[in-house]
Amino acid sequence: MYNSKIIGLGHYVPENVVTNDDLSKIMETTDEWITERTGIKERRWAKPEDKETTFTMGLQAAKRAIERSGLDKDEIDFIVFATLSPDYYFPGPGVQIQEALDIKTVGALDVRNQCSGFVYAVSVADQFIKTGMYKNILVIGAELQSHGIDKSTRGRSISVIFGDGAGAAVMTREEDNTKGILSTHLHSEGKHALELATEAPGMGTRWVTDILKENDPTDLSYMPYMNGTFVFKNAVVRFSQVILEGLAANGLEKEDIDMLIPHQANLRIAQFIQKKFELSDDQVFNNIQKYGNTTAASIPIALTEAWEQDKIKEGDTVVLAAFGSGFTWGSVIIKW
Ligand code: UT7
């Protein structure tokens, strides 16, 4: 059995910056409300005329990650792409990446675990590398949220939070079992599926054929719904549990954490976790202030920025943790 490790990171965000004040011009909201409740000051929303998509942003991030990994694109054995906002309902964007990178017909897997998507994707890649089935895996998390949210006052509790962007990592085999990804921990609790969800297009309770037949412009099935307070309360509990689970699995204590990269859901959640684990400002990386919540892209974007800013060094214990729709949650413990 091998370990896996991250050898290349990259991210991409659209150029278009949307500040809280910009939002207050199109809906009833204020910079004060958004900053106080979420910590967000601005986010990137792709301009429709730029024709950016989850795939195109993911591709940019992937190219940077591959370049920094020192590998040739043809050495990539497998692709894992996490997103809740694919370009097409099907197929997922993994195959678009395979085609655009012009690499041989390697497998491409799409992961649908929303805010936990990147953590799940890393876990999947880690298992393939551990068994020796694949050596080098490209893992991407990308989201185009801005084209799928209600930007009127009706949708403000969702739309002010979410942003567009992409992050990617190249993972490879590590022969030293004390280094790299030490363990990953995944959970779900499907009874809360509809507390944070977009119903359509779905084939279950709300048929697309019915939605089309009804042709009702007030139908919100295609819009994301979030029971914010309920999600918040569950998030703080599950984040803590899954970080503790990861530490315990490796005989580590909270004092051993050098860097925690939490999914950027809400600065208040990250601050709660920071306090609970008695971490300093230098030990928790947040960039939600600049990008909002970019769902599956948030951890790889934050990880890339933390690494670019030299906040992660060889030998550091780095913890990734996420919670989101499903509910799903998870953690990754890394010896960098
Ligand atoms: O990434 C996946 C996981 N997601 C999360 O972890 C998100 C967790 N939840 C949250 O971050 C918070 O619940 C929110 C930031 C989404 C909302 O904060 P809240 O303190 O729970 O606010 P609320 O939803 O209870 O709304 C409070 C009030 C309401 O008005 P009334 O009913 O008290 O009159 C809302 O209508 O704030 C109103 N409101 C807004 N006001 C100004 C909701 N959105 C806005 C807005 N601007 N954008």
Side-chain angles (χ1 to χ4, degrees):
M1 289 278 268
Y2 302 103
N3 267 13
S4 70
K5 66 178 171 188
I6 294 172
I7 52 164
L9 286 163
H11 73 92
Y12 176 86
V13 289
E15 260 181 42
N16 187 38
V17 176
V18 179
T19 65
N20 293 345
D21 287 333
D22 293 333
L23 293 183
S24 68
K25 290 174 195 136
I26 56 171
M27 63 180 81
E28 282 173 34
T29 192
T30 58
D31 173 47
E32 197 190 356
W33 191 96
I34 301 170
T35 307
E36 225 171 70
R37 307 275 176 136
T38 71
I40 300 166
K41 297 302 284 182
E42 57 189 47
R43 74 284 295 139
R44 304 296 178 97
W45 280 359
K47 284 189 171 161
E49 58 268 33
D50 291 339
K51 302 217 172 342
E52 289 183 302
T53 69
T54 292
F55 152 63
T56 65
M57 292 188 291
L59 180 63
Q60 295 305 321
K63 283 182 172 169
R64 281 175 201 173
I66 294 171
E67 202 180 294
R68 286 165 166 174
S69 74
L71 295 182
D72 186 88
K73 66 180 175 54
D74 290 315
E75 292 177 272
I76 301 290
D77 300 314
F78 195 65
I79 298 162
V80 190
F81 200 128
T83 188
L84 63 69
S85 49
D87 291 22
Y88 312 117
Y89 182 57
F90 72 87
V95 297
Q96 292 172 279
I97 295 290
Q98 180 274 329
E99 161 68 9
L101 286 177
D102 190 23
I103 45 183
K104 47 193 191 303
T105 58
V106 299
L109 174 73
D110 300 292
V111 166
R112 298 206 46 177
N113 288 85
Q114 300 69 246
C115 299
S116 312
F118 189 75
V119 163
Y120 267 73
V122 166
S123 181
V124 168
D126 180 49
Q127 309 315 308
F128 277 129
I129 292 172
K130 266 195 166 67
T131 58
M133 180 157 172
Y134 298 123
K135 191 169 177 202
N136 303 313
I137 302 185
L138 173 63
V139 183
I140 303 168
E143 304 286 359
L144 182 77
Q145 313 267 17
S146 59
H147 299 354
I149 47 183
D150 179 355
K151 294 174 187 142
S152 71
T153 298
R154 186 178 64 182
R156 66 183 177 175
S157 61
I158 292 265
S159 55
V160 302
I161 297 172
F162 292 97
D164 303 336
V170 174
M171 291 171 58
T172 195
R173 182 184 294 173
E174 166 61 67
E175 311 228 344
D176 181 344
N177 282 331
T178 65
K179 290 185 185 160
I181 312 287
L182 300 182
S183 63
T184 60
H185 306 269
L186 307 177
H187 294 277
S188 71
E189 192 173 27
K191 73 176 173 194
H192 299 311
L194 294 184
E195 302 295 348
L196 175 47
T198 298
E199 260 190 82
M203 310 298 178
T205 50
R206 197 86 171 79
W207 294 1
V208 173
T209 42
D210 288 339
I211 293 169
L212 292 175
K213 218 184 297 162
E214 287 159 20
N215 196 19
D216 175 3
T218 62
D219 181 7
L220 297 178
S221 304
Y222 282 90
M223 293 295 166
Y225 164 79
M226 175 164 72
N227 180 349
T229 318
F230 186 72
V231 174
F232 192 107
K233 283 184 186 154
N234 278 268
V236 290
V237 173
R238 297 310 193 181
F239 263 112
S240 305
Q241 286 175 348
V242 83
I243 295 168
L244 285 173
E245 182 187 349
L247 292 174
N250 295 287
L252 298 170
E253 306 286 339
K254 61 180 172 20
E255 291 73 25
D256 295 313
I257 299 175
D258 293 301
M259 175 58 76
L260 169 66
I261 313 249
H263 161 54
Q264 303 291 293
N266 183 321
L267 192 60
R268 305 290 159 251
I269 295 176
Q271 286 168 337
F272 178 91
I273 303 299
Q274 176 175 345
K275 204 165 159 206
K276 183 160 178 161
F277 283 80
E278 297 174 325
L279 300 171
S280 69
D281 289 349
D282 290 344
Q283 291 169 298
V284 184
F285 191 84
N286 289 302
N287 59 10
I288 191 171
Q289 302 90 332
K290 294 190 294 180
Y291 302 130
N293 178 344
T294 57
T295 312
S298 94
I299 289 183
I301 294 175
L303 186 58
T304 303
E305 287 200 337
W307 175 78
E308 284 171 347
Q309 294 167 24
D310 278 333
K311 296 199 164 159
I312 300 175
K313 303 198 176 52
E314 206 180 326
D316 279 357
T317 298
V318 178
V319 177
L320 314 180
F323 175 88
S325 162
F327 293 150
T328 58
W329 63 100
S331 64
V332 179
I333 311 292
I334 309 171
K335 184 59 99 178
W336 203 266

